[in-house]
Amino acid sequence: MTLTLMTNRGDMTAPRRSAITVRGLRKAFGEQVVLADLNLDVAEGTIFSLLGPNGAGKTTTVEILSTLVAADAGEVHIAGHDLARDPGSVRRSIGVTGQFSAVDGLLTGEENLLLMAELCHLSPADGRRRVDELLERFDLTEHAKKVAATYSGGTQRRLDLAMTLVGDPRVIFLDEPTTGLDPRSRRAMWEIIRELVAGGTTIFLTTQYLEEADQLADRIAVLDQGRLVAEGTAEELKRRIPGGHIRLEFTDERDLTAAARLLDASPEPDSLALQVPGSGVRALRAVLDRLDQEGIEPETLSVHTPDLDDVFLALTSRPGAEKKQEAAR
């Protein structure tokens, strides 16, 4: 019998100080409420991912926290600084990589980094030292003298993130940083993000790739129509959604029929399989014990748990659903 357990890592992080605290954050554009009483806590040295459909308020949240847009109400502290009272200190503590690359395609990679060093008010010697460090760290040395417009999408994204790090920020906002990258480049970016966090940097990540949040985030918040609808680790969010099951496959129809009768499950005759509701160690043990008592042994067994796709679909509104509801009233 082949046994496959489809599980993910749990949250093993110890309690840490908050790098970002948000209380009662509100923002509206005219009559359209974009954020409604948003509350967030992001621990130092962790990856926090904000998920939500298009128009949920993710980018607006990043713009407010990175001092680009003013909030209508609420309190925000980032790296120990009050956003409303001391935005300058907040700016000196953060870095931002947006949805679209900030790289100047007419400059070389080295020139882009040197320009950023000047904007961060580094001395020529310190700027040169920092640029050399980042070129090596992001595997950009061989591209340093080439015009950035000739870079691949993945290389441009690495340069973009390297530029964000010139000022050695304590908190980095990554707004959909891997959009448009191929799977290999995306995974390379994930490794860079993990290395940053291992060094103590805090990452605030928005993404449309749910696998990305699942792979990277210590905690995940789900935003829908400007409101926080769920927050927790990936595993905690998945446990909130029904749909977990144990799938059994057999070599002959006799065992399939006996197992279906014993477990009160509907068989799939074509595939000689059946699905039993439930997931986790306790449910698996109960199924195996009952099968063993009757001398029934499946050929293969796998445990399936809901993934973040299921969480996203269950907790967020379908596009246009709100308008349809209003039209029906």
Side-chain angles (χ1 to χ4, degrees), residues 276-312:
V276 182
S279 61
V281 174
R282 183 173 299 176
L284 176 60
R285 183 182 294 118
V287 168
L288 291 176
D289 286 347
R290 295 186 68 185
L291 291 173
D292 187 57
Q293 289 172 4
E294 298 298 323
I296 302 171
E297 183 172 341
E299 176 66 17
T300 64
L301 182 154
S302 57
V303 179
H304 299 257
T305 59
D307 58 21
L308 282 186
D309 284 5
D310 299 313
V311 173
F312 187 91

Side-chain angles (χ1 to χ4, degrees), residues 86-137:
D86 194 4
S89 293
V90 171
R91 293 188 191 103
R92 287 188 289 272
S93 301
I94 67 172
V96 182
T97 297
Q99 296 180 25
F100 305 101
S101 174
V103 171
D104 189 329
L106 299 179
L107 300 178
T108 66
E110 182 180 63
E111 288 169 341
N112 270 283
L113 289 167
L114 287 171
L115 176 60
M116 187 59 66
E118 291 185 29
L119 293 174
C120 291
H121 306 292
L122 298 183
S123 69
D126 289 341
R128 180 72 259 178
R129 188 179 307 109
R130 185 65 172 154
V131 167
D132 289 340
E133 290 174 356
L134 291 170
L135 287 171
E136 182 175 356
R137 181 177 183 181

Side-chain angles (χ1 to χ4, degrees), residues 2-269:
T2 302
L3 174 63
T4 304
L5 291 177
M6 303 179 72
T7 59
N8 292 299
R9 61 183 175 85
D11 183 18
M12 303 298 290
T13 56
R16 309 185 190 194
R17 293 185 301 174
S18 290
I20 303 172
T21 58
V22 177
R23 295 289 178 269
L25 191 64
R26 300 181 191 177
K27 183 63 182 179
F29 296 101
E31 296 183 355
Q32 182 183 6
V33 177
V34 181
L35 294 174
D37 296 317
L38 182 63
N39 297 305
L40 298 173
D41 278 292
V42 181
E44 285 185 342
T46 64
I47 301 175
F48 184 94
S49 183
L50 188 63
L51 302 181
N54 291 332
K58 302 186 302 297
T59 295
T60 299
T61 301
V62 171
E63 289 175 340
I64 291 173
L65 300 186
S66 58
T67 77
L68 297 175
V69 173
D72 295 333
E75 296 183 3
V76 177
H77 288 82
I78 299 177
H81 306 293
D82 187 302
L83 179 65
R85 298 178 180 177
D86 194 4
S89 293
V90 171
R91 293 188 191 103
R92 287 188 289 272
S93 301
I94 67 172
V96 182
T97 297
Q99 296 180 25
F100 305 101
S101 174
V103 171
D104 189 329
L106 299 179
L107 300 178
T108 66
E110 182 180 63
E111 288 169 341
N112 270 283
L113 289 167
L114 287 171
L115 176 60
M116 187 59 66
E118 291 185 29
L119 293 174
C120 291
H121 306 292
L122 298 183
S123 69
D126 289 341
R128 180 72 259 178
R129 188 179 307 109
R130 185 65 172 154
V131 167
D132 289 340
E133 290 174 356
L134 291 170
L135 287 171
E136 182 175 356
R137 181 177 183 181
F138 285 83
D139 195 23
L140 292 168
T141 304
E142 66 177 272
H143 304 283
K145 303 296 185 181
K146 298 177 183 177
V147 174
T150 65
Y151 291 6
S152 67
T155 303
Q156 280 203 16
R157 258 332 200 179
R158 294 206 312 274
L159 175 60
D160 198 20
L161 186 52
M163 292 168 62
T164 301
L165 294 178
V166 169
D168 197 21
R170 295 168 57 187
V171 177
I172 297 178
F173 294 96
L174 301 179
D175 192 11
E176 300 185 18
T178 62
T179 297
L181 296 186
D182 62 73
R184 187 182 301 277
S185 297
R186 186 175 301 128
R187 290 181 181 277
M189 184 63 71
W190 292 356
E191 288 306 311
I192 291 173
I193 292 171
R194 291 187 181 105
E195 289 172 6
L196 290 173
V197 174
T201 304
T202 303
I203 302 291
F204 189 103
L205 169 73
T206 74
T207 179
Q208 294 286 8
Y209 299 111
L210 301 186
E211 181 193 7
E212 187 162 273
D214 202 354
Q215 289 285 332
L216 294 177
D218 296 292
R219 292 189 68 79
I220 297 170
V222 182
L223 198 64
D224 188 42
Q225 297 181 16
R227 296 183 181 276
L228 193 66
V229 295
E231 183 179 351
T233 67
E235 293 305 315
E236 288 170 346
L237 293 178
K238 292 173 190 176
R239 285 197 293 268
R240 295 180 54 169
I241 307 302
H245 64 271
I246 300 166
R247 181 178 177 83
L248 306 167
E249 296 182 2
F250 299 86
T251 56
D252 61 65
E253 191 170 347
R254 184 181 60 182
D255 282 347
L256 171 66
T257 302
R261 186 182 302 111
L262 176 68
L263 300 172
D264 192 23
S266 299
E268 303 172 10

